[in-house]
Amino acid sequence: MQKTALLSVYDKTQLTSFAQGLTDLGYRLISSGGTCRHLQEAGLEVTEVSSLTQFPEMLGGRVKTLHPVVHGGILARRDHPDDLASLEAQGIQTIDLVCVNLYPFAQVLAKGGDEGELIENIDIGGPTLLRAAAKNFRDVWVVTDPGDYERVLDQVKEAQGKEPYAPEILAQRRLLAAKVFESTFHYDQLISSYFQKATAQTNDNLTTADLSDDQLFPDRIDIEGQRLQVLRYGENPHQRAAFYRFGQLSDSGLPAAQQLHGKDLSYNNIQDANAALELLYEFDQPCVVALKHMNPCGLAVGKDIYQAWQAAYQADPVSIFGGIVAANREIDLQTAQELHEIFLEIVLAPSFSQEAFDLLAKKKNIRLLTLPMATKQSLDRLKLVSVMDGVLMQERDLYKVQREDCKLMTQAAPTDDQWTDLINGFSVVKHCKSNAIVVFKDGVTLGIGVGQSNRVGAAKLALEQAGDRAKGAILASDAFFPMPDTVEMAAQFGISAIIQPGGSIRDEDSIQVCNTKGIAMVATGIRHFKH
């Protein structure tokens, strides 16, 4: 009996040669829609699916191959007499090879298609055909990747002279079936992820606060990622690691960055660059972040990127050695000349002037990365963190305090300039490991204390690093003061204003110290622990 192949593809790469190869092997071709027209225009003899099913395509092509004549022919088990008798009773012929690839949902999503366009690119018939053929892989060849066409033709030709269930033939078909299920899983995961994000995404009428826990957090998550590269090693040389892209590629995350120069990124490079990027997204004005071990060691805003760079470097010229620099404006030659004098692992920016790139690229190992600067609002609303045998999911901390959100707690009030530094300093401390204190003045970090087991210890590090520069500066704390000791130390260094969440049962003790020393203090009502 003549074998039958069903071909229905969106991506028609190498399709004609594959179909011709099947014809040469004695296969009858059936197809639908654009695939059928494509093959007929190439001069191949093809039977339209609708003539096989005696049912026309309908609903604008939404229903083409969803029919018992098609799926009966695919799913019938050739070694089950009852299955074959059922086909004969209904006049259904077996289908022995299925070649399908799917509507380009990923590509439409990547280009920013609206929901209507996305929905029309959710393939229904394609995955159904693929899953049916993969389920019955013992009897049906199934192929979804044009890159497999030549190999499948060779395997089909080789199988023609062998027993239908020969172990080597079954092994080949099983591998193709596995590839199909991997492909359809990825496809469905991408669609599911889109709908989850669309549900959680804020807009003019809906915020995540309006969603119930059940709406925001699905009952089940399937974490599916594409491996971008195997890394040289993990956090330490004895650990192996790889970098994966999770979900659909956007223009705001590190997987979208282009590496223009330098050796491959390491595990720690990627962690640091991501931490710098998240902090950078807090600021609209020209900003430079110097970062080491996932904590900022210097941040500054300025009238241009060179001014911001100079101030960020001077904030801590020691810790920046071997760190990374991230900027939200193009790196120009003037800035590059100073960057070139320092040992840096990474420079990340939206772009480099040609002169700046040529200079920095003279260093063999420095990594130069470009990434368009997205808005903070474009970041994913949900964040995942792995733990042993589990995953934590939470809303990303996208809250940025505003002046009107704060409550004045002291007799002294901040000046307008101090208010600007208070708001910016609180944005910086949000990205420092708790317990964290930041000393900030005139758009520049002067001292940063991070990752301490007590708050006064973090303050001591930040204030001593700032030294004499702390006089007249502001101090930002990621959480409230359980004791007045941090405020007392801040007063000794000449801090003029403090921003902190408030809410301690001993708030009055800290307020009293501020009133005695003439320090302004405001409470945000929001804490920014980062673990």
Side-chain angles (χ1 to χ4, degrees):
M1 180 181 295
Q2 186 179 24
K3 300 284 187 181
T4 299
L6 188 156
L7 299 91
S8 181
V9 299
Y10 179 85
D11 179 1
K12 296 174 178 59
T13 302
Q14 300 180 21
L15 177 66
T16 301
S17 60
F18 181 60
Q20 182 64 63
L22 291 172
T23 299
D24 293 343
L25 291 171
Y27 274 73
R28 177 177 69 123
L29 306 181
I30 60 174
S31 190
S32 63
T35 305
C36 186
R37 290 190 295 274
H38 178 85
L39 294 175
Q40 288 173 340
E41 289 169 1
L44 292 167
E45 185 177 342
V46 187
T47 301
E48 182 84 33
V49 167
S50 58
S51 68
L52 195 71
T53 62
Q54 295 299 301
F55 201 92
E57 292 185 14
M58 61 183 295
L59 306 182
R62 281 189 167 197
V63 178
K64 290 182 285 193
T65 58
L66 297 169
H67 195 281
V69 167
V70 174
H71 288 278
I74 294 171
L75 286 164
R77 294 160 291 187
R78 311 319 193 245
D79 58 347
H80 281 51
D82 289 346
D83 285 7
L84 298 179
S86 295
L87 292 190
E88 185 175 1
Q90 300 299 327
I92 298 174
Q93 297 179 353
T94 59
I95 295 174
D96 308 284
L97 183 146
V98 172
C99 175
V100 173
N101 55 58
L102 307 178
Y103 292 168
F105 183 89
Q107 292 91 319
V108 175
L109 182 62
K111 75 174 187 179
D114 61 30
E115 186 159 278
E117 186 180 7
L118 285 166
I119 287 172
E120 291 309 312
N121 278 277
I122 297 175
D123 204 326
I124 302 300
T128 307
L129 289 169
L130 286 172
R131 290 174 62 85
K135 176 176 180 175
N136 201 26
F137 74 90
R138 285 173 53 84
D139 296 296
V140 180
W141 297 93
V142 58
V143 55
T144 189
D145 181 359
D148 290 333
Y149 287 170
E150 186 175 348
R151 178 166 60 90
V152 170
L153 285 174
D154 290 339
Q155 291 173 347
V156 171
K157 182 177 181 180
E158 180 185 356
Q160 286 184 330
K162 295 186 177 182
E163 291 295 322
Y165 300 123
E168 62 272 24
I169 304 302
L170 288 180
Q172 292 166 352
R173 288 177 175 168
R174 187 180 289 109
L175 283 174
L176 291 169
K179 192 166 186 176
V180 161
F181 286 118
E182 179 183 359
S183 174
T184 57
F185 171 79
H186 170 70
Y187 194 76
D188 287 340
Q189 173 64 21
L190 197 61
I191 296 168
S192 172
S193 177
Y194 162 75
F195 278 106
Q196 289 175 10
K197 289 178 181 177
T199 301
Q201 190 174 24
T202 60
N203 55 45
D204 292 339
N205 302 314
L206 182 69
T207 68
T208 52
D210 297 317
L211 301 175
S212 68
D213 287 347
D214 286 341
Q215 290 173 315
L216 186 60
F217 303 114
D219 290 337
R220 176 185 176 87
I221 57 171
D222 295 304
I223 301 175
E224 191 277 336
Q226 178 184 354
R227 193 181 74 192
L228 299 182
Q229 67 183 109
V230 174
L231 305 174
R232 289 183 299 145
Y233 53 82
E235 282 182 293
N236 299 288
H238 64 276
Q239 296 170 271
R240 293 193 291 181
F243 184 28
Y244 285 79
R245 183 191 83 202
F246 175 66
Q248 179 60 27
L249 185 64
S250 71
D251 62 356
S252 57
L254 202 59
Q258 286 189 300
Q259 185 169 348
L260 305 180
H261 175 76
K263 59 186 179 182
D264 288 344
L265 294 170
S266 71
Y267 180 96
N268 293 335
N269 289 154
I270 293 169
Q271 289 272 59
D272 284 344
N274 184 71
L277 194 59
E278 291 193 354
L279 176 51
L280 204 59
Y281 283 151
E282 296 283 346
F283 297 91
D284 296 323
Q285 60 268 59
C287 179
V288 169
V289 176
L291 188 136
K292 190 86 168 283
H293 301 312
M294 294 184 67
N295 282 299
C297 55
L299 176 142
V301 295
K303 66 179 182 180
D304 56 39
I305 211 65
Y306 177 67
Q307 184 188 70
W309 151 251
Q310 283 193 311
Y313 172 72
Q314 291 298 332
D316 187 350
V318 175
S319 298
I320 195 175
F321 181 84
I324 77 168
V325 168
N328 63 0
R329 300 289 194 278
E330 180 174 270
I331 299 295
D332 56 24
L333 178 59
Q334 188 179 24
T335 305
Q337 287 170 335
E338 297 193 11
L339 292 170
H340 187 259
E341 298 302 315
I342 306 166
F343 168 53
L344 296 171
E345 292 277 358
I346 296 174
V347 179
L348 169 66
S351 59
F352 297 82
S353 73
Q354 189 61 54
E355 297 84 358
F357 175 80
D358 291 343
L359 176 61
L360 292 171
K362 290 180 179 179
K363 287 191 170 183
K364 179 181 177 181
N365 291 329
I366 191 171
R367 300 146 172 106
L368 303 179
L369 276 66
T370 58
L371 180 69
M373 290 294 116
T375 62
K376 187 173 67 169
Q377 285 68 32
S378 70
L379 300 180
D380 287 345
R381 285 337 217 194
L382 297 177
K383 183 174 184 177
L384 301 179
V385 177
S386 64
V387 295
M388 284 195 296
D389 298 327
V391 170
L392 291 170
M393 178 186 288
Q394 69 168 347
E395 292 178 273
R396 192 178 296 276
D397 188 358
L398 297 176
Y399 181 85
K400 185 175 179 69
V401 69
Q402 303 297 326
R403 181 170 175 172
E404 57 268 23
D405 300 328
C406 298
K407 177 183 177 182
L408 181 63
M409 303 176 72
T410 53
Q411 296 167 359
T415 65
D416 287 344
D417 287 343
Q418 287 172 341
W419 268 115
T420 299
D421 282 338
L422 288 167
I423 299 303
N424 286 337
F426 201 62
S427 292
V428 175
V429 83
K430 179 171 81 172
H431 295 270
C432 300
K433 293 284 188 179
S434 298
N435 287 317
I437 297 289
V438 168
V439 178
F440 199 86
K441 185 179 181 182
D442 297 333
V444 183
T445 57
L446 304 178
I448 301 174
V450 297
Q452 300 304 299
S453 54
N454 63 76
R455 193 152 302 280
V456 71
K460 185 173 186 292
L461 289 174
L463 289 164
E464 288 183 350
Q465 183 185 13
D468 293 339
R469 297 178 299 171
K471 188 172 183 179
I474 70 94
L475 181 145
S477 174
D478 64 339
F480 63 60
F481 302 126
M483 303 282 183
D485 47 8
T486 298
V487 179
E488 290 168 349
M489 184 180 294
Q492 293 172 13
F493 278 82
I495 290 294
S496 63
I498 293 173
I499 186 168
Q500 54 113 347
S504 169
I505 60 173
R506 298 187 63 177
D507 269 350
E508 283 301 321
D509 293 347
S510 296
I511 293 170
Q512 184 176 348
V513 174
C514 285
N515 285 334
T516 300
K517 302 296 184 179
I519 299 173
M521 179 186 284
V522 299
T524 65
I526 293 289
R527 96 175 178 202
H528 283 311
F529 273 167
K530 183 182 180 185
H531 287 83

